Amino acid sequence: MSSTDRSARTSTAMIATPAIHAEQLCRHYRMGETLIRAVDGVTLSVKAGEFVALLGSSGSGKSSVLNLIAGLDRPTSGSVIVQERDLAQLSREELARYRLHTVGMVFQSFNLIASMTLAENVELPMRFAEVERGKRDSLAREALTRVGLQGRMNHRPSELSGGEQQRAALARALINRPQLLLADEPTGNLDSHTGTEIMNMVREFNQHLGMTVVMVTHERALAERYAQRLIFLADGKLVGDESNSAVNAADQAGVGGGRP
Amino acid sequence: MKLPDLAELAVRNLRESLLRNSLTTVGISVGVASLVAMLSLGIGLQQLASRRLMKSGLFDTVLVTSRRDLRNFGREEERGGPAPAESRTLDEPTRIEIEHLPNVLEAYPDIRFITELRYEDKPHLTTIAALPASAKSNDAFETVQGQFFSSDMAPEAILQKTFAEELLGRTPKPGVDETNVAELAAPLLGKELTMRYAQREAAQSAPSATAHDNAAAPGAESLADAAYSVVSRELKLKIVGVADLDPESMRGPTRARVFLPLKLAESLHVMQPTDLREISRAATDQPVYSSVSVRVNDPNQVRKVEDTIKKMGFNTFSILDASRSIQQFFKVLYAFLGIFGSLALVVASIGIVNTLVMAILERRREIGIMKAIGASDSDVKKLFFAEAGAMGLLGGVVGVALGWTIGQAINLGTNVYLKSQSFPPEHFWSVPWWLVAFAILFSFGVSLISGLYPAARAARLDPVQALRYE
Ligand SMILES: Nc1ncnc2c1ncn2[C@@H]1O[C@H](COP(=O)(O)OP(=O)(O)OP(=O)(O)O)[C@@H](O)[C@H]1O
Ligand SMILES: [Mg+2]
């Protein structure tokens, strides 16, 4: 994949075209008589290489927006365009390929497959991508080494701590070198110390691999510490969009690791 | 996803819920085993039947008659053949020619005539037929009491059981026939019979009245030669054997009550009914036959030999058609046994559906995860297919082994029973390689079909819903 070359360029030439653009995005659920507007006319843009936090109270539609961007769900109306592809227009098969090659996802509950070792979990997306068997082993090893789990490759998820599981999930999310990292409350199940560890890794991917990151969280403090932009949702609507000056200033200074 | 990956993932998934999947697989095995057991029984019975029939010598024999023989007009075999005008005479050189055709073991004339036999000065009128030396290995004569002819020219006779009864003045009771052949044979073996018969002899006399029949046949020879005289003769025969044959069930040469060696019968030049039509030939040295029986080395070659002889300009008849209808019967039997065997497999396949649907419920989240990290609908579908297929394949292999074992056990048990009833053991159980292959493939196929619905259901699973709840 050319993700690294591409992301290298995003910071300069492609900065103008947004990596993600949602226009009047709606996701409604019909529950008998009532219509639940989980996402209700959200319009937003995320630049390539940007680190954005989606904030809001429980039930405000954060996960729903993220799933629409991830191509796991289809909008009721409106459009999501990711890297010039309108997801609403893609077939189920094309959406699967999009998820496979363009998106990496991490979840609050880690979502590793319990019956597989870490190495096998990390390898799984490469099986779907039909990467050669010989290459897969070394790539999985490399990815797990990157998140500091080289010693735990043949362990099953149940034998690991939450932080280790989330690190493995990060390694899996990155294995097909996607341009987009979508995280749904990645630290929700972790203590603050472990959460910081995970967030530092996410930031590293954002800064050194040039990945665009959209992270759902309801912890404003966490968002302010890492995200360049904070987007607020309430009742499925966009209610705020602010640039995070502190993080941007730090990025400008090229520090990145100034915060505890 | 590539096939090795699919297989690997399928096997690991099957191992995850080992007990449930094993039970399902056992279900398939039992289904396959019953299918294999049923079909091998059918095949074994057919082989037994055809072994028996082959030994009877009926299925490897072609009866050849001349097209000049008016008796054959209108027979089905004749359609499309050459007109009688171009047909050939069934004489000795022709017989030799037929005998030298590929796959032909022997070709011998059918000699059969009705004449009088005297036994202890009482006359008995009966049909006499000639037997070639090869009839000795024929199943029908295997059980002969006494022995077979000592040579092909020996003045000896083998009697049909019913004729032996007649000679002894016994009348068989109607209904159940429980006559002991050995008991019948004891007083008769070694005794003498006097056969009275009419012998043809070349003569220079004027054509007989019957020559007009011949004139009607096209291509008749010059009437000048058409002359012979009939001389009455007597021959003493020694009774060497009594055969336990059911004449009604027999065809061809065995449909007679007294048998003579072939060469001896030939040398007698007994007047036969057909001689009247071949009257002109009577004067020549070369005998002309009304029919010749041709033995073929392999029943499968009968048709080919028959066609070749037809091309030579003769009519042929074989019981191939009869054997075909027996095969038909066994096809129906297979179908029946197969349906019963498959039923068990169908029940087993419902087990597969159940197991996989359960697996989907259980692995909802896992399917959601796989989709979230990029699995397509077809990846998920193939994975469930592979699991169904793996169970089917394994169940098929185990089932064939099980079915084979059951069959062996039944065979053994039945033979123990047969032995206790003092019958010879029989091999009525056969698992040919194609049945093994078929059973495994069938099991595989049925399993894949069973996997259709669960696989489609798994593929359509909405990942958002699947990942929503813990
Ligand atoms: N399948 C569904 N059927 C009906 N309603 C749904 C469905 N999925 C989501 N919703 C509703 O949509 C709204 C938004 O849900 P969503 O999961 O996006 O919220 P969230 O912001 O992620 O909340 P949380 O912080 O608790 O995860 C909720 O009110 C939820 O009940
Ligand atoms: Mg949520």
Side-chain angles (χ1 to χ4, degrees), chain A residues 92 99 111 115 120 133, chain B residues 5 8 12 365 371 377:
Chain A
R92 286 176 76 94
R99 291 195 299 266
N111 280 342
S115 61
E120 286 165 340
R133 190 165 279 258
Chain B
D5 287 327
E8 199 185 315
R12 76 167 309 130
R365 189 169 194 86
K371 286 196 158 187
D377 289 7

Side-chain angles (χ1 to χ4, degrees), chain A residues 27 29 67 72-73 92-93 96-97 99-100 103 105 107 109 111-113 115-117 120-121 124-125 127-128 130-133 136 156 172 176, chain B residues 1-2 4-6 8-9 12-13 16 365-366 368-379 382 459-465 467-468 470:
Chain A
R27 180 65 172 98
Y29 292 100
N67 288 338
L72 277 175
D73 202 1
R92 286 176 76 94
E93 196 69 25
R97 295 193 66 74
R99 291 195 299 266
L100 183 61
V103 181
M105 283 196 94
F107 304 86
S109 51
N111 280 342
L112 294 169
I113 292 176
S115 61
M116 294 182 175
T117 65
E120 286 165 340
N121 264 289
L124 194 56
R127 288 193 202 249
F128 298 136
E130 302 195 343
V131 175
E132 276 170 52
R133 190 165 279 258
R136 288 200 310 238
R156 290 200 173 193
R172 183 181 66 185
N176 280 335
Chain B
M1 208 168 14
K2 285 183 181 147
D5 287 327
L6 269 178
E8 199 185 315
L9 288 182
R12 76 167 309 130
N13 283 338
E16 276 307 306
R365 189 169 194 86
E366 192 180 309
I369 295 170
M370 290 200 293
K371 286 196 158 187
I373 63 174
S376 65
D377 289 7
S378 80
D379 285 330
K382 281 186 214 157
R460 300 301 293 191
L461 196 70
D462 177 3
V464 176
Q465 296 305 320
L467 290 173
R468 200 168 171 77
E470 280 294 297

Side-chain angles (χ1 to χ4, degrees), chain A residues 44-79:
Chain A
L44 61 83
S45 277
V46 178
K47 284 179 286 189
E50 214 177 356
F51 190 141
V52 174
L54 272 184
L55 288 145
S57 58
S58 184
S60 57
K62 310 179 292 288
S63 296
S64 300
V65 169
L66 198 74
N67 288 338
L68 288 169
I69 296 172
L72 277 175
D73 202 1
R74 287 177 184 275
T76 311
S77 64
S79 65

